Amino acid sequence: MKPVHMTQSRRRFIKIGGLTTLAGLSGIGLGFSSCGNDDDSFDPDNNLNIKKVVIPSGLDVLAGGEMTLSGEGFLTGDLITLTSTVSGGAEYSSTVSSVTDNSVSFPVPEEFTSGVYRLTVTRGEESLVLGSVLINLVADTDLPDIEGMTVKGLVYSDGRGIPGVVVSDGYEVTVTDGEGRYYLPSLKKTGFVFISVPGNYEVANNGNAPQFFKRLSGSPQTVEQQDFSLIGVSNENHVVIPMADWHLADRNNDLDQFNSKVLPDVNATIDKYAADGTRVYVLTLGDMTWDAYWYNNNFGLNEYIPYMNKLNSPVFNLIGNHDYDPYVANDWGAEDKYRAVIGPTYYSFNLGKVHYVVLDDVEYLNSGGSEGNVGQRNYNEVIASDQLEWLKKDLAAITDKSTPVVVAMHTPLYKNPSLDSGGNQADTIDLLNGSALIDCLKEFPTVHVLSGHTHINYTVEEESNLMEHNTAAICATWWWTGRNGYAGNHICKDGSPGGYGIWKINGTDLQWSYKSIGYDEDYQFRAYDLNKVHINAAEFAPDASDADLAPYAGVYATPASANEVLINVWGYDSQWKVEVTENGNPLEVTRVKVKDPLHIVSYEAFRVNAGAVPTSSFVTNTTAHFFKVKAGAADSTLEIRVTDRFGKEYSESMERPKAFTLNMS
């Protein structure tokens, strides 16, 4: 028999009704830390006297082989039951075949399949739950060398090779053959070989991070074999949650805000959609950290990982301009820490019938960066030419060009839109080689680009086959408005509440929305009675003067009486409708590009009041997802109805006068 390979780490036990079981298991991810206890008796009700059990995070086993666990007190003939943690999953039994002073072994059951299983030992009338573990049924294959091929391997599931899986080293791209084998003539420049996980499969997670990649350790001349194990799932129906711009840095009580506001909200959303067995995945959109504070606050990518692991789902990560090492001057070297802690900076994967591509569109220009010295931390918004060539090869492997493609990257493809003189949206490419990216994607009729970076929401539909969704930030305004002693409303630069996307996929049908943290999913707009919006120092910055505040207050510094109402629709795109009636009569609705007044009083006013100059990158943006109507009276009730592109309606019966406050909705 070949030995079982174990990954060892520890997890605590809890008692349930006299039995012991593994604490803190996630029902979504497939990777678990292991459990164990070195006490002589970890459960006083443990009549089997089994102790010092260690359940590893994962077991790789061969069909017809054995599983071995560390532990004391087992007896030959004990019954081991393996129960799938998936609802309606299989159950297998095996009988302990051998024991030592500190281990137990039992055969792999016939027709066993890979998955997460709860292990229970039974002896006579007594039973004990040992814990849960991911068990991979692996293939026993040593592939022959082929001249010129430096990386080879097998992609398999339940011990059988899976054909047609795309494998890459970030430069070369190949596809597994009919038996799941691949070969690559790799120069090992990225230090990785990775697979594009096929639809209806998953890989094991390290914490919450899917392990779709293997690290290469040899020289370009050394042949390495790296195999990949897939776990069959059903994910044609799935949910993806894009979360942009975390900026965790241990400042502005950001960690407390994340734990108390963001995390419960996101996990509630994950749990809601996962309740019926739907697979849910988080996709970060870059800037999980803040390079300026990696060394000053000792908070970098390693410190981000525990917060990522608090989410109730697998997390696919993406590098942003603030996720580079500020002690390194050049782009490639500054990415080394990300590659060491997170993994590849660009890759692809499939969920059901949708192809996802994660790109690195930042060139880090860190003049002055050196060991012990933080550089200037500038950057270009561009996709490196080598990466574009990889993208072409990755997309060429998709034989069905009707496949929806979702491209995720940090900086946007298009700029924050403007409006022309006729009120029509005017779009400009922002990415330096954005036209080349668009050209790469022209064969696919359905392309969505997910981006972050701006801390605002907007959509662009300039190309007939492509739509960009720039998603506002998890941290809102870098955690400022929710900071202790500030506004407490967690608002982004365009007035959107801090939040994240919810993408619901059914086969090839994609639907999306923006979820505001702390609000119901139906909260999609905010309406202002401009007669009541007067931004003045006496009310919003009492320790400053109107002259100090005026440059930020703009038009809102002057009291208004024109009976106008401003509506901020943060998820707006061309297929949305905004309708307003007064006493049953429709009012003319005009799209405008303005600043959100609530953000001005939530960020700029507090900074001015503290005697500080508001950071230029943090001040309120003018954005084009606003609409204005003029009512006939100052005290009439307006009926506002907003309908999204999927036909869902959101409404407010706006009683006026409507107060302008920091906690208004």
Side-chain angles (χ1 to χ4, degrees), residues 30 56 171 192 266 275 291 308 311 396 417 483 517 519 527 623:
L30 291 175
Y171 289 86
F192 297 103
V266 178
D291 51 349
M308 174 194 79
L311 295 170
R483 177 183 174 176
I517 293 166
Y519 295 90
T623 44

Side-chain angles (χ1 to χ4, degrees), residues 440-462:
C440 285
L441 297 161
K442 64 183 179 181
E443 290 185 283
F444 297 89
T446 304
V447 178
H448 294 274
V449 175
L450 302 177
S451 56
H453 185 63
T454 64
H455 296 234
I456 64 175
N457 280 303
Y458 62 82
T459 59
V460 175
E461 300 167 82
E462 190 68 19

Side-chain angles (χ1 to χ4, degrees), residues 176-222:
T176 58
D177 66 14
E179 297 182 16
R181 301 171 299 189
Y182 75 88
Y183 289 87
L184 280 170
S186 178
L187 296 177
K188 306 179 183 178
K189 291 182 180 179
T190 67
F192 297 103
V193 58
F194 53 86
I195 60 171
S196 186
V197 181
N200 294 318
Y201 286 99
E202 289 179 353
V203 290
N205 298 331
N206 180 8
N208 276 338
Q211 298 301 288
F212 57 88
F213 60 90
K214 297 290 182 72
R215 298 181 186 275
L216 300 174
S217 57
S219 69
Q221 292 75 36
T222 303

Side-chain angles (χ1 to χ4, degrees), residues 277-580:
T278 298
R279 312 302 290 184
V280 183
Y281 309 86
V282 165
L283 173 60
T284 69
L285 294 178
D287 284 1
M288 293 80 71
T289 62
W290 196 341
D291 51 349
Y293 298 95
W294 275 25
Y295 299 107
N296 291 345
N297 287 7
N298 294 316
F299 198 101
L301 292 168
N302 279 310
E303 289 69 34
Y304 154 75
I305 295 296
Y307 292 89
M308 174 194 79
N309 286 340
K310 292 183 179 185
L311 295 170
N312 291 345
S313 76
V315 179
F316 290 94
N317 283 295
L318 184 159
I319 192 170
N321 58 288
H322 288 293
D323 299 320
Y324 287 73
D325 190 340
Y327 280 0
V328 180
N330 68 84
D331 177 80
W332 185 266
E335 289 178 340
D336 281 345
K337 180 66 74 172
Y338 184 94
R339 284 189 285 265
V341 175
I342 304 291
T345 61
Y346 57 92
Y347 56 93
S348 69
F349 59 95
N350 301 273
L351 300 175
K353 296 180 178 179
V354 180
H355 186 67
Y356 294 82
V357 182
V358 171
L359 296 179
D360 167 12
D361 67 344
V362 172
E363 179 189 16
Y364 199 56
L365 305 175
N366 192 29
S367 178
S370 62
E371 188 63 32
N373 295 298
V374 173
Q376 294 182 359
R377 301 165 39 249
N378 293 324
Y379 57 92
N380 285 329
E381 300 176 29
V382 64
I383 299 173
S385 57
D386 286 342
Q387 188 180 163
L388 272 180
E389 292 304 309
W390 167 84
L391 176 62
K392 293 174 184 177
K393 296 174 184 177
D394 178 81
L395 295 175
I398 302 174
T399 55
D400 181 1
K401 300 306 179 185
S402 68
T403 299
V405 176
V406 177
V407 177
M409 56 194 198
H410 180 60
T411 69
L413 175 58
Y414 288 92
K415 295 181 183 292
N416 177 16
S418 297
L419 298 179
D420 63 21
S421 58
N424 301 305
Q425 182 166 314
D427 303 313
T428 305
I429 290 177
D430 185 51
L431 192 71
L432 290 179
N433 55 349
S435 295
L437 175 61
I438 292 169
D439 190 60
C440 285
L441 297 161
K442 64 183 179 181
E443 290 185 283
F444 297 89
T446 304
V447 178
H448 294 274
V449 175
L450 302 177
S451 56
H453 185 63
T454 64
H455 296 234
I456 64 175
N457 280 303
Y458 62 82
T459 59
V460 175
E461 300 167 82
E462 190 68 19
E463 301 291 327
S464 61
N465 71 322
L466 185 152
M467 183 175 185
E468 179 170 18
H469 311 255
N470 192 251
T471 304
I474 286 297
C475 74
T477 306
W478 289 263
W479 305 104
W480 272 105
T481 72
R483 177 183 174 176
N484 291 337
Y486 275 65
N489 55 19
H490 203 58
I491 187 173
C492 297
K493 299 192 301 176
D494 62 344
S496 303
Y500 51 90
I502 300 176
W503 284 67
K504 293 176 277 190
I505 289 83
N506 182 357
T508 58
D509 178 64
L510 289 73
Q511 296 193 11
W512 56 88
S513 62
Y514 181 78
K515 170 69 170 68
S516 299
I517 293 166
Y519 295 90
D520 186 81
E521 286 183 35
D522 287 344
Y523 184 54
Q524 294 293 326
F525 69 89
R526 184 190 304 112
Y528 299 99
D529 181 352
L530 291 182
N531 286 356
K532 304 296 292 182
V533 177
H534 177 210
I535 299 178
N536 59 86
E539 186 170 358
F540 296 106
D543 293 335
S545 67
D546 283 337
D548 295 328
L549 191 56
Y552 306 101
V555 297
Y556 305 118
T558 303
S561 58
N563 301 334
E564 291 182 321
V565 167
L566 184 68
I567 306 167
N568 186 350
V569 186
W570 34 81
Y572 178 80
D573 65 46
S574 66
Q575 301 301 309
W576 286 50
K577 293 189 299 183
V578 180
E579 301 167 290
V580 184

Side-chain angles (χ1 to χ4, degrees), residues 531 562-564 582-583 587 629-636 638 656:
N531 286 356
N563 301 334
E564 291 182 321
E582 181 184 31
N583 300 321
L587 300 179
V629 298
K630 182 177 176 63
D635 58 356
S636 58
L638 302 187
R656 300 162 55 246

Side-chain angles (χ1 to χ4, degrees), residues 86 140 167 599 665:
V86 177
D140 182 19
V167 187
H599 186 264
S665 60

Side-chain angles (χ1 to χ4, degrees), residues 36-232:
N37 194 297
D38 292 327
D39 297 337
D40 286 341
S41 179
F42 59 83
D43 180 359
D45 298 322
N46 174 11
N47 296 324
L48 298 180
N49 199 32
I50 291 174
K51 54 191 177 182
K52 296 185 178 180
V53 175
V54 176
I55 304 293
S57 59
L59 284 172
D60 291 341
V61 300
L62 289 173
E66 286 191 334
M67 302 186 199
T68 300
L69 302 175
S70 297
E72 298 177 6
F74 291 93
L75 298 179
T76 302
D78 283 348
L79 180 69
I80 305 294
T81 303
L82 301 93
T83 306
S84 172
T85 60
V86 177
S87 178
E91 182 173 284
Y92 301 92
S93 295
S94 183
T95 301
V96 170
S97 55
S98 63
V99 296
T100 68
D101 289 342
N102 55 16
S103 70
V104 57
S105 298
F106 49 93
V108 176
E110 292 184 6
E111 300 183 356
F112 185 81
T113 60
S114 300
V116 180
Y117 290 89
R118 185 177 67 252
L119 275 61
T120 305
V121 58
T122 301
R123 185 186 305 155
E125 299 297 320
E126 298 287 342
S127 293
L128 186 69
V129 178
L130 301 176
S132 294
V133 61
L134 168 65
I135 304 175
N136 270 328
L137 198 63
V138 302
D140 182 19
T141 304
D142 291 321
L143 300 183
D145 292 347
I146 296 178
E147 185 176 356
M149 300 295 175
T150 56
V151 181
K152 61 182 181 178
L154 183 71
V155 181
Y156 59 86
S157 180
D158 293 331
R160 296 182 296 274
I162 304 299
V165 178
V166 174
V167 187
S168 177
D169 65 349
Y171 289 86
E172 303 298 332
V173 175
T174 190
V175 178
T176 58
D177 66 14
E179 297 182 16
R181 301 171 299 189
Y182 75 88
Y183 289 87
L184 280 170
S186 178
L187 296 177
K188 306 179 183 178
K189 291 182 180 179
T190 67
F192 297 103
V193 58
F194 53 86
I195 60 171
S196 186
V197 181
N200 294 318
Y201 286 99
E202 289 179 353
V203 290
N205 298 331
N206 180 8
N208 276 338
Q211 298 301 288
F212 57 88
F213 60 90
K214 297 290 182 72
R215 298 181 186 275
L216 300 174
S217 57
S219 69
Q221 292 75 36
T222 303
V223 177
E224 298 182 54
Q225 179 166 339
Q226 299 289 354
D227 299 334
F228 293 89
S229 176
L230 301 176
I231 300 165

